[in-house]
Amino acid sequence: TVPDACAQLSYKLKECITGGGFSGRFSGKCKELQQAFEHCLKVEFDSRRQQSIAKARERAKTWKEADKDIGL
């Protein structure tokens, strides 16, 4: 699924591709939209990855403290 932040770009890109037909897709008419969409996806992916790493570190810290409490 497309992240909410990139949904508008996705819609515009689909319109550009379907509006231009086969030649529109491969002639480069939608290239700027494609690059903007890919950049948006990358930014969203990186953001989510950083959030996931932070959560994982918190879980690891919690487990480490729990292990210490029971003497492991």
Side-chain angles (χ1 to χ4, degrees), residues 54-69:
K55 287 179 185 178
R57 287 184 178 147
E58 279 297 315
R59 281 193 307 271
K61 183 179 176 184
T62 303
W63 278 104
K64 195 174 220 179
E65 290 172 358
D67 287 346
K68 187 186 286 185
D69 289 344

Side-chain angles (χ1 to χ4, degrees), residues 2-68:
V2 176
D4 292 339
C6 304
Q8 185 67 24
L9 282 172
S10 173
Y11 178 75
K12 287 180 181 180
L13 180 61
K14 285 179 185 177
E15 277 189 340
C16 181
I17 289 172
T18 57
F22 183 79
S23 63
R25 182 175 183 144
F26 295 104
S27 67
K29 291 180 182 178
C30 306
K31 188 174 183 176
E32 287 181 21
L33 281 173
Q34 178 71 33
Q35 288 174 342
F37 180 63
E38 288 173 358
H39 177 73
C40 182
L41 290 177
K42 181 184 182 309
V43 168
E44 281 295 308
F45 176 78
D46 288 344
S47 173
R48 289 180 185 198
R49 189 180 81 222
Q50 291 300 322
Q51 291 172 0
S52 179
I53 289 170
K55 287 179 185 178
R57 287 184 178 147
E58 279 297 315
R59 281 193 307 271
K61 183 179 176 184
T62 303
W63 278 104
K64 195 174 220 179
E65 290 172 358
D67 287 346
K68 187 186 286 185

